[in-house]
Amino acid sequence: MAGMAEEAWALGFGDMSVEDGFALRESTDWRHFPASDPARYAPLLSIADLDAFLATDAARRPRISMADGNRQGGAAVPEDEYATADGAADLPRLFHAFDRGATLVISQFHELHPALGRFCRGLEQVFLHAVQANIYLTPPGAQGFRMHYDTHDVLVLQVQGEKHWRIWPGQPFPAPTRRTPWVGGVEPLADAVEITMRPGDALYVPRGVLHDAAAQDGTAPSLHVTVGFMEPSFASVLRMAVDLLEEAEPALRAAFPTWRLADGPGALAPLAQPLAAMLAQPASLERTALALLDRLAMDRAPMLGRGLFPRMPDGATRLRLAGGLLHALIPDEETGGAWLRWAGDPLALSPAEAGWIGALAEGATPDALGEDALAFCHRLTRLGLLEEDRD
């Protein structure tokens, strides 16, 4: 890891190694990361940032919502108690609801707040899937949501105030996704473990693990960021693989012989087995992997290394690939070069240019790369793929 990814990892997971982090993500264990610095997350977010956001037209449904665990029935506060008919924040009503104990929820705030955007982008470069950031501001002594589980893994960053958490280990409903939402009537598998989240603490909770949280009594509200890991499920990847394979494989486009259903399931098995084998072919897996990387790059806002007036480098300028760039370098067996996949149009690279991209990932000057490299670097600078390496 380097640059943005390394910074985000250290901020979220402390001194845990990346391999241990991957193992944690692949388990059903939760983990508390106590703070060494209470101000650890202060650069990411503040209540002043939320006040500034609420004063803009971007503060509207569905990005804003409210929850109150003391309500009868569902915890979700009705929209007309904090928003106008067209979805804009109704600040007098919103503040009244907050003063009465409702939690303010701001979804996908990484899309609007640069510090959170960079943090999420860094984690995306590590995990190679989308990462989001939702904000929860809870009044003192209040609770937003009752016991529940999430349908994706989360990393909770306590920014300000304290919040008391209860976590019930295990997954009573194994590996839920957005296609399998809260089913109700779920009973914990073990006794709750209780912890108090203080400023600078982080808490990792896998999907399916039951939990709840309430702000501590007193005068300070609780502000935390819930980082959502939006990893695809095996089922969603297989659906993507089938869709991609259909484009090239006539057998998948053939009519399904429903008339054979009367002969029983055994009559269809010989037809399905060859198609299942196609999905496990290296070419099919490679096509699916590339599609996943393309989707990540295309679905996220590009963090390019240029503004409206890019500064062209000279031969001695040390450059590197833009730190927020989501990209993949795919070898081209026909030319010996590669394709650079990113948010823009794919770039065909010669063998020399493919090597230059590898060097620029670590930082290099055009002069060090060799002949014609300066023109290549000018081209990438205009596209926003490069930035000056100031390390």
Side-chain angles (χ1 to χ4, degrees), residues 41-185:
Y41 300 123
L44 286 181
L45 187 69
S46 68
I47 292 178
D49 294 329
L50 303 188
D51 280 330
F53 162 73
L54 290 174
T56 71
D57 191 53
R60 56 176 50 248
R61 290 280 305 156
R63 192 176 297 277
I64 62 168
S65 59
M66 303 195 83
D68 187 349
N70 290 323
R71 293 181 57 85
Q72 295 295 321
V77 175
E79 295 179 20
D80 61 4
E81 293 189 21
Y82 62 88
T84 62
D86 67 355
D90 186 331
L91 292 185
R93 285 192 172 94
L94 186 150
F95 291 147
H96 181 60
F98 183 79
D99 291 343
R100 288 183 301 165
T103 292
L104 172 64
V105 183
I106 304 176
S107 301
Q108 311 285 317
F109 201 47
H110 65 283
E111 296 179 346
L112 301 177
H113 194 57
L116 284 173
R118 287 180 57 85
F119 175 71
C120 290
R121 179 58 48 83
L123 293 180
E124 288 172 345
Q125 292 176 341
V126 177
F127 292 113
L128 300 182
H129 64 60
V131 176
Q132 66 180 28
N134 294 344
I135 311 304
Y136 296 83
L137 180 63
T138 303
Q143 180 178 19
F145 294 101
R146 307 179 189 107
M147 184 181 71
H148 67 284
Y149 58 71
D150 293 306
T151 56
H152 54 266
D153 302 345
V154 300
L155 181 68
V156 177
L157 313 178
Q158 188 69 26
V159 179
Q160 183 174 327
E162 296 185 357
K163 208 161 198 180
H164 185 75
W165 284 70
R166 294 187 298 175
I167 304 164
W168 290 267
Q171 288 183 325
F173 189 84
T177 70
R178 282 171 288 181
R179 295 168 66 93
T180 54
W182 176 258
V183 295

Side-chain angles (χ1 to χ4, degrees), residues 172-224:
F173 189 84
T177 70
R178 282 171 288 181
R179 295 168 66 93
T180 54
W182 176 258
V183 295
V186 176
E187 294 294 331
L189 299 178
D191 293 337
V193 179
E194 301 189 28
I195 63 171
T196 298
M197 293 283 287
R198 296 181 172 86
D201 283 6
L203 174 67
Y204 172 76
V205 183
R207 59 188 174 131
V209 173
L210 292 165
H211 59 275
D212 68 8
Q216 298 289 79
D217 290 331
T219 59
S222 167
L223 174 63
H224 78 254

